[in-house]
PDB file of all heavy atoms in Angstrom:
ATOM      1  N   THR A1346      -0.908  19.847  26.490  1.00  0.00           N
ATOM      2  CA  THR A1346      -0.475  21.239  26.662  1.00  0.00           C
ATOM      3  C   THR A1346      -0.627  22.019  25.359  1.00  0.00           C
ATOM      4  O   THR A1346      -1.177  23.130  25.348  1.00  0.00           O
ATOM      5  CB  THR A1346       0.991  21.281  27.142  1.00  0.00           C
ATOM      6  OG1 THR A1346       1.083  20.616  28.396  1.00  0.00           O
ATOM      7  CG2 THR A1346       1.478  22.714  27.284  1.00  0.00           C
ATOM      8  N   TYR A1351      -3.610  25.934  21.845  1.00  0.00           N
ATOM      9  CA  TYR A1351      -4.315  26.292  20.613  1.00  0.00           C
ATOM     10  C   TYR A1351      -5.793  26.549  20.872  1.00  0.00           C
ATOM     11  O   TYR A1351      -6.392  27.424  20.253  1.00  0.00           O
ATOM     12  CB  TYR A1351      -4.131  25.219  19.531  1.00  0.00           C
ATOM     13  CG  TYR A1351      -2.890  25.477  18.724  1.00  0.00           C
ATOM     14  CD1 TYR A1351      -1.643  25.078  19.186  1.00  0.00           C
ATOM     15  CD2 TYR A1351      -2.952  26.167  17.526  1.00  0.00           C
ATOM     16  CE1 TYR A1351      -0.493  25.343  18.459  1.00  0.00           C
ATOM     17  CE2 TYR A1351      -1.816  26.437  16.791  1.00  0.00           C
ATOM     18  CZ  TYR A1351      -0.582  26.029  17.269  1.00  0.00           C
ATOM     19  OH  TYR A1351       0.539  26.317  16.547  1.00  0.00           O
ATOM     20  N   ALA A1410      13.349   3.945  10.252  1.00  0.00           N
ATOM     21  CA  ALA A1410      13.695   5.265   9.712  1.00  0.00           C
ATOM     22  C   ALA A1410      12.428   5.842   9.098  1.00  0.00           C
ATOM     23  O   ALA A1410      11.852   5.245   8.193  1.00  0.00           O
ATOM     24  CB  ALA A1410      14.783   5.135   8.664  1.00  0.00           C
ATOM     25  N   ARG A1422      -5.237  24.551   1.566  1.00  0.00           N
ATOM     26  CA  ARG A1422      -6.023  23.324   1.695  1.00  0.00           C
ATOM     27  C   ARG A1422      -6.379  23.013   3.144  1.00  0.00           C
ATOM     28  O   ARG A1422      -7.267  22.222   3.405  1.00  0.00           O
ATOM     29  CB  ARG A1422      -5.282  22.138   1.090  1.00  0.00           C
ATOM     30  CG  ARG A1422      -5.030  22.316  -0.381  1.00  0.00           C
ATOM     31  CD  ARG A1422      -4.559  21.029  -1.002  1.00  0.00           C
ATOM     32  NE  ARG A1422      -4.281  21.205  -2.412  1.00  0.00           N
ATOM     33  CZ  ARG A1422      -5.186  21.108  -3.360  1.00  0.00           C
ATOM     34  NH1 ARG A1422      -6.436  20.848  -3.061  1.00  0.00           N
ATOM     35  NH2 ARG A1422      -4.853  21.283  -4.624  1.00  0.00           N
ATOM     36  N   ILE A1476      -8.754  16.538  -4.569  1.00  0.00           N
ATOM     37  CA  ILE A1476      -8.306  17.100  -5.838  1.00  0.00           C
ATOM     38  C   ILE A1476      -8.919  16.384  -7.032  1.00  0.00           C
ATOM     39  O   ILE A1476      -8.433  16.502  -8.145  1.00  0.00           O
ATOM     40  CB  ILE A1476      -6.767  17.082  -5.932  1.00  0.00           C
ATOM     41  CG1 ILE A1476      -6.213  15.690  -5.675  1.00  0.00           C
ATOM     42  CG2 ILE A1476      -6.159  18.103  -5.006  1.00  0.00           C
ATOM     43  CD1 ILE A1476      -4.702  15.595  -5.777  1.00  0.00           C
ATOM     44  N   LYS A1485      -1.347   5.564  -9.753  1.00  0.00           N
ATOM     45  CA  LYS A1485      -0.167   6.176 -10.379  1.00  0.00           C
ATOM     46  C   LYS A1485       0.663   6.904  -9.344  1.00  0.00           C
ATOM     47  O   LYS A1485       1.859   6.817  -9.299  1.00  0.00           O
ATOM     48  CB  LYS A1485      -0.610   7.141 -11.467  1.00  0.00           C
ATOM     49  CG  LYS A1485       0.518   7.781 -12.239  1.00  0.00           C
ATOM     50  CD  LYS A1485      -0.036   8.703 -13.306  1.00  0.00           C
ATOM     51  CE  LYS A1485       1.081   9.381 -14.060  1.00  0.00           C
ATOM     52  NZ  LYS A1485       0.588  10.284 -15.083  1.00  0.00           N
TER      53      LYS A1485
END
Side-chain angles (χ1 to χ4, degrees):
T1346 299
Y1351 272 82
R1422 298 192 182 274
I1476 54 179
K1485 183 179 178 181

